[in-house]
Amino acid sequence: MSDEKTPRQPVSGIKGTHDILPPDSAVWQKLEQAVRDIFELYGYREIRTPVFEATELFEKGTGQTSDIVTKEMYTFTDKGGRSVTLRPEYTPSVARAIIEHRLYLEPRPLRYYFVGPMFRYDRPQKGRYRQFHQIDAEVFGETDAAIDAELVEMADRLFRRIDVGETEIVINSVGDRNCRPAYLLDLRAAAEAVAPSLCPDCQRKAAANPLRIFDCKVEACRELAKSFPEITGYLCAECADHFHRLRAHLDADGIRYRVEPRLVRGIDYYTRTTFEMTTTKLGAQNAILGGGRYDDLMKDFGGPDMPAIGFAIGVERLLSVASLKAESRPFVYLAYLGDEAKIRAVELARSLRQGGVECLLEFKERGLRNQLARASKLGAAWVLIAGEEEVRKGRFQVKDMRSGLQREAAREELAAIFGRSDS
Ligand code: AMP
């Protein structure tokens, strides 16, 4: 009894998550459709993996020293005592699936894409969520720099399709396991020399993984990092050649880009190419795409030697700059009067829907005037009036809500009327 009387507190959504409501959900659908259309033209196929994985997958894949693993993972112990993590990024899951299902035995290269939620326990702020969404593309089994350029082109094509406005493409090479160690030695020496002036986080990074200092947002660290050695001068012949060929392909494709030697990206597994796309329309969180090559990841996961490259686009940020509108489809509001007409209206709605006409029928007793007002409020393109008289005669009144004109039509004419005005 007392429960009945206590006012119920509504439960709110979790901080850092958000609902995608209509009509916005239609914009999401439109974006997802554009992704499917474009990526499939390039030979990519959708791959769906579970939302959670064994924690060690990300520790091993994303890397022990990455910000994602050190600070941002949503990790739980399940009832079986296993440590599981809500995926913070998609690449480790795809690599795991390829190895587990031996997809590498299929004709190469393997090209996959996915659109879905990722989870990072970060401080929520504008453009940073705890559950956000990414568009992900991955290619496994392709070494040539032409594929690096093609990925950039594919993302660029998507951005143009949904009209994101001005973007900047930034590229770099972070070398590989041959040439990076020498660079890291010099970088670590430079970082340690100025360590007392770095933020506490970067002081730790100076010893553990000095490359991460380039990701720091603290102004003092950014200033100091400008004096650090650049990787470009350390690249081995193979990495330098790969980078040179990537640039040549981008030039040939007419894609404008900027080389940024400090673009190292926040994940440990990158080798050679890294790239980012930023927009001039956003403030601090201006990166809408991040990507790069990870030629050693499959080997490190115990799989075959299979070079790979991919990117991830942040959907929330992308949509905040895209000019993507949801067009509402014209629909029919079916107004009926009386019980007999109601039964016939249900039947009529069914046959109209079968013919592909969107049709709304509400089950509330209302007078005709109220139903018309309701149809107008909901934005119906037409009102189809089924009074008892109309139902008996098999002829209906159709009101075009845009022109305000009303006409009588036989049942057989309806699909054509709604179909015709639709076009
Ligand atoms: P990353 O996997 O960190 O390279 O991120 C790729 C893209 O995902 C970024 O460029 C952002 O657009 C987006 N992104 C990353 N983290 C978040 C977040 N916490 N909230 C919203 N978008 C994010």
Side-chain angles (χ1 to χ4, degrees):
M1 281 294 274
S2 62
D3 263 352
E4 293 281 304
K5 285 191 186 138
T6 326
R8 296 204 184 129
Q9 280 296 328
V11 179
S12 310
I14 303 268
K15 199 172 163 198
T17 68
H18 62 102
D19 301 307
I20 303 160
L21 310 172
D24 290 350
S25 47
V27 175
W28 281 68
Q29 285 174 354
K30 213 166 153 183
L31 171 66
E32 285 159 8
Q33 195 53 52
V35 170
R36 285 199 181 93
D37 289 350
I38 293 173
F39 289 14
E40 300 225 353
L41 284 179
Y42 286 78
Y44 290 73
R45 296 292 177 261
E46 190 181 25
I47 184 163
R48 300 189 190 195
T49 65
V51 161
F52 60 95
E53 301 268 2
T55 300
E56 63 187 275
L57 181 78
F58 301 110
E59 287 174 347
K60 206 153 71 172
T62 311
Q64 298 279 7
T65 63
S66 68
D67 278 358
I68 294 179
V69 171
T70 53
K71 296 189 250 171
E72 300 173 1
M73 293 223 291
Y74 256 101
T75 300
F76 309 96
T77 304
D78 71 8
K79 288 180 183 169
R82 273 174 300 262
S83 180
V84 297
T85 295
L86 301 181
R87 59 181 178 217
E89 55 142 355
Y90 209 53
T91 304
S93 301
V94 179
R96 177 201 51 73
I98 291 174
I99 295 169
E100 198 166 323
H101 304 287
R102 306 214 291 171
L103 301 177
Y104 49 80
L105 296 178
E106 293 183 3
R108 299 182 191 186
L110 308 172
R111 298 177 178 214
Y112 302 113
Y113 73 92
F114 176 69
V115 187
M118 306 292 152
F119 307 83
R120 292 186 195 172
Y121 196 86
D122 204 355
R123 193 165 58 80
Q125 53 178 288
K126 193 166 182 294
R128 276 207 166 268
Y129 303 96
R130 288 181 173 171
Q131 175 172 336
F132 62 101
H133 297 75
Q134 285 189 339
I135 297 163
D136 185 90
E138 317 259 349
V139 186
F140 288 80
E142 188 84 85
T143 345
D144 201 299
I147 193 73
D148 306 28
E150 195 189 79
L151 268 170
V152 172
E153 182 209 299
M154 185 168 86
D156 191 52
R157 178 178 285 207
L158 175 68
F159 290 174
R160 277 186 288 118
R161 162 84 80 94
I162 62 170
D163 202 3
V164 295
E166 209 181 310
T167 52
E168 185 181 38
I169 300 168
V170 187
I171 62 167
N172 189 26
S173 173
V174 293
D176 63 9
R177 286 180 179 174
N178 291 323
C179 52
R180 198 162 36 201
Y183 170 66
L184 287 179
L185 254 139
D186 286 1
L187 181 63
R188 184 171 291 122
E192 283 176 343
V194 296
S197 315
L198 293 169
C199 73
D201 215 17
C202 285
Q203 288 181 11
R204 266 192 306 277
K205 290 174 179 172
N209 189 348
L211 276 179
R212 293 280 82 79
I213 297 174
F214 291 126
D215 296 332
C216 184
K217 300 277 182 283
V218 176
E219 198 46 48
C221 299
R222 296 179 82 91
E223 266 311 304
L224 286 168
K226 284 187 187 157
S227 64
F228 292 173
E230 292 180 352
I231 190 150
T232 323
Y234 291 77
L235 296 180
C236 62
E238 290 78 11
C239 288
D241 178 57
H242 188 93
F243 195 43
H244 175 76
R245 281 183 298 117
L246 164 63
R247 297 182 59 176
H249 281 294
L250 290 175
D251 292 338
D253 294 343
I255 293 175
R256 300 214 339 241
Y257 58 88
R258 180 166 65 82
V259 176
E260 171 50 71
R262 290 183 182 81
L263 178 70
V264 294
R265 312 235 340 104
I267 296 170
D268 285 355
Y269 49 62
Y270 287 114
T271 49
R272 295 192 172 166
T273 309
T274 53
F275 56 104
E276 244 179 38
M277 293 196 189
T278 56
T279 160
T280 46
K281 289 192 200 163
L282 292 174
Q285 309 296 342
N286 65 351
I288 45 178
L289 175 149
R293 195 165 257 290
Y294 24 93
D295 289 343
D296 300 317
L297 184 74
M298 286 294 266
K299 262 185 303 182
D300 293 349
F301 272 19
D305 186 1
M306 212 179 185
I309 180 166
F311 65 65
I313 300 173
V315 178
E316 283 80 0
R317 282 186 214 168
L318 185 66
L319 287 178
S320 71
V321 293
S323 305
L324 209 54
K325 296 265 175 309
E327 298 110 29
S328 49
R329 283 204 321 169
F331 69 93
V332 178
Y333 186 94
L334 220 161
Y336 58 88
L337 291 166
D339 280 348
E340 170 66 19
K342 179 179 175 183
I343 294 166
R344 304 296 298 276
V346 168
E347 193 193 329
L348 186 56
R350 189 184 306 127
S351 83
L352 284 171
R353 288 168 185 151
Q354 229 151 28
V357 176
E358 183 176 332
C359 190
L360 183 65
L361 196 57
E362 290 188 297
F363 302 104
K364 254 198 177 91
E365 276 198 22
R366 288 191 176 106
L368 184 58
R369 186 192 288 269
N370 271 344
Q371 295 194 60
L372 283 167
R374 181 83 186 138
S376 157
K377 197 167 172 189
L378 292 170
W382 308 272
V383 179
L384 176 60
I385 303 166
E388 281 178 354
E389 172 80 11
E390 281 86 354
V391 166
R392 217 174 14 256
K393 288 198 300 194
R395 295 187 70 80
F396 301 89
Q397 290 294 321
V398 178
K399 181 165 183 172
D400 185 319
M401 298 298 277
R402 284 167 289 199
S403 66
L405 295 176
Q406 190 163 320
R407 56 176 280 201
E408 197 183 76
R411 186 171 174 149
E412 311 77 69
E413 293 174 79
L414 295 177
I417 294 174
F418 304 139
R420 228 189 351 254
S421 310
D422 203 6
S423 61

